[in-house]
Amino acid sequence: MSDVLAVTGLRRSFVQGGARIDVLRGVDLHVGPGEIVALLGPSGSGKSTLLQAVGLLEGGFEGSIRIAGEEAAQVDNAGRTRIRRDALGFVYQFHHLLPDFSAVENVVLPQLIHGAETDAAHKRAEGLLGALGLGHRLTHRPSQLSGGEQQRVAVARALANRPALVLADEPTGNLDEGTADVVLGEFLRLVRGEGSAALVATHNERLAQKMDRVVRLHDGHLN
Ligand code: ADP
Ligand code: MG
């Protein structure tokens, strides 16, 4: 089967204080359907920069990014929004949940935006949250949930629209070690069960080893 993600020759530079820094210097990366890849690298190595490019959240890169067979560099803004909505799910270090909506509503809303029926969206949201052990927290708002519970809701939200690829940037980086282990384990189990692929940035070698494959970002290159 063809790759869910095919990145070739990706370059990204920033100008900082008048000096140019080349963060990504020709990155190649392929992720197959259902494959879970850890993106490992120390702080400042460019993991977030790579995920933002692949997530079509930032322009300014050179090279090719093919998502589910479509060349992102060749689509306009509306096309990028469509690819993000139809093919990608996002989890960040901080949950970015909507504070005035309940857990279940935070998982329902992206589905409604995607065109789902209300009943079906609720059923799926409850199923995902239930699978993450949050069946008793459906009507709680984010502020009424623990950090681990908030990240679980963010995981359910990312998977709500059955993305081919989940992009996760230090998804457990804001949790204590024990909670991070549990939440990452649940995240991986759910992603596997759903058949999505995932690219997960982390600087934690131990967590990276739980994934199918590890790629390392070093001096602007992946190896
Ligand atoms: P990581 O996620 O691996 O910690 P980042 O991708 O956040 O690394 O950052 C990589 C490098 O790019 C850092 O030196 C950072 O300062 C720089 N950088 C990231 N985003 C910007 C930006 N918007 N403007 C200038 N420099 C940036
Ligand atoms: Mg980062």
Side-chain angles (χ1 to χ4, degrees), residues 28 54 190:
D28 298 323
V54 170
L190 197 60

Side-chain angles (χ1 to χ4, degrees), residues 8 42 45 49 62 73-74 77-78 83 87 92 101 103 138-139 147 150 155-156 164 175 194 199 202 222-223:
T8 35
S45 59
T49 300
E62 290 170 45
Q74 283 167 13
N77 267 331
I83 294 172
Y92 304 96
F101 289 88
L138 298 179
T139 58
Q150 291 168 345
V155 165
L175 304 176
E194 292 278 317
L199 180 59
T202 179
L222 273 188
N223 48 44

Side-chain angles (χ1 to χ4, degrees), residues 14 16 21 23 42-49:
F14 296 107
Q16 268 184 13
I21 52 166
V23 177
S43 181
S45 59
K47 301 182 298 297
S48 294
T49 300

Side-chain angles (χ1 to χ4, degrees), residues 95 97-99 101-107 129 133-154 174-175:
H95 56 78
L97 297 171
L98 298 170
F101 289 88
S102 68
V104 77
E105 286 166 343
N106 267 279
V107 184
L129 291 168
L134 289 180
H136 60 309
R137 292 279 187 270
L138 298 179
T139 58
H140 287 56
R141 294 191 181 189
S143 62
Q144 299 171 310
L145 300 172
S146 71
E149 289 171 338
Q150 291 168 345
Q151 281 308 86
R152 288 180 176 93
V153 178
N174 192 39
L175 304 176

